Amino acid sequence: MGHLPQISEAEYEVMKIVWKHAPINTNEITKQLLLTTTWSPKTIQTLIKRLVTKGALTYEKQGRIFVYTPAVKEGEYIGQESSSFLNRFYHGTLTSMVSSYLEQDRLTESEIQQLRALLSSHEKNGEASNE
């Protein structure tokens, strides 16, 4: 898929439910969101309609029930948003972002250790695939 649709924070909450439970009908989406939000069912229906209009969701009518599936893969959307974030705030590089976090003491020692382990694991996998 080319350029992915712009999704608001509220629409993203709906998408998370659909990604996790698809195919899912309107009532099930509403039930899930009422557990974590104070939105009215009407608000949720409006968000679903917006996502269909934007091309992020597709639906199939089964009798009187609308069943939704994502037209956008979660990984693709998150990847696009991550790239957009890096470009907007950190000149497009992950290194700039991590440096900024380190300089401002916004990473805990545990997070730094997790990053080291992740990089080490990736490095080992890269070496193994180059042999």
Side-chain angles (χ1 to χ4, degrees):
M1 185 173 200
H3 184 69
L4 302 175
Q6 291 294 314
I7 298 174
S8 71
E9 287 294 320
E11 292 164 346
Y12 181 67
E13 293 302 313
V14 175
M15 289 301 297
K16 288 193 299 189
I17 300 296
V18 177
W19 282 320
K20 185 174 182 179
H21 301 286
I24 185 170
N25 68 45
T26 309
N27 291 340
E28 293 167 334
I29 294 170
T30 301
K31 180 180 169 187
Q32 289 291 319
L33 287 169
L34 289 175
L35 296 173
T36 58
T37 70
T38 58
W39 301 337
S40 73
K42 189 77 174 158
T43 298
I44 294 168
Q45 288 179 350
T46 299
L47 292 169
I48 293 169
K49 287 178 189 174
R50 283 188 201 160
L51 287 164
V52 168
T53 301
K54 290 179 176 187
L57 288 180
T58 60
Y59 68 91
E60 180 181 311
K61 193 170 181 185
Q62 297 178 355
R64 297 181 68 183
I65 298 172
F66 288 86
V67 178
Y68 297 90
T69 55
V72 172
K73 291 182 178 156
E74 184 175 16
E76 288 177 355
Y77 178 74
I78 291 170
Q80 172 186 279
E81 289 301 301
S82 296
S83 293
S84 175
F85 177 79
L86 284 175
N87 286 331
R88 184 171 178 194
F89 296 105
Y90 297 103
H91 310 292
T93 70
L94 184 57
T95 304
S96 295
M97 184 185 82
V98 173
S99 293
S100 173
Y101 274 73
L102 287 169
E103 289 167 8
Q104 297 174 23
D105 291 326
R106 289 167 50 191
L107 290 176
T108 66
E109 189 59 38
S110 173
E111 290 169 327
I112 292 169
Q113 291 302 324
Q114 288 172 350
L115 285 170
R116 283 187 180 126
L118 182 64
L119 291 170
S120 176
S121 169
H122 182 72
E123 194 173 77
K124 287 176 187 171
N125 290 338
E127 289 173 6
S129 65
N130 289 336
E131 293 176 355

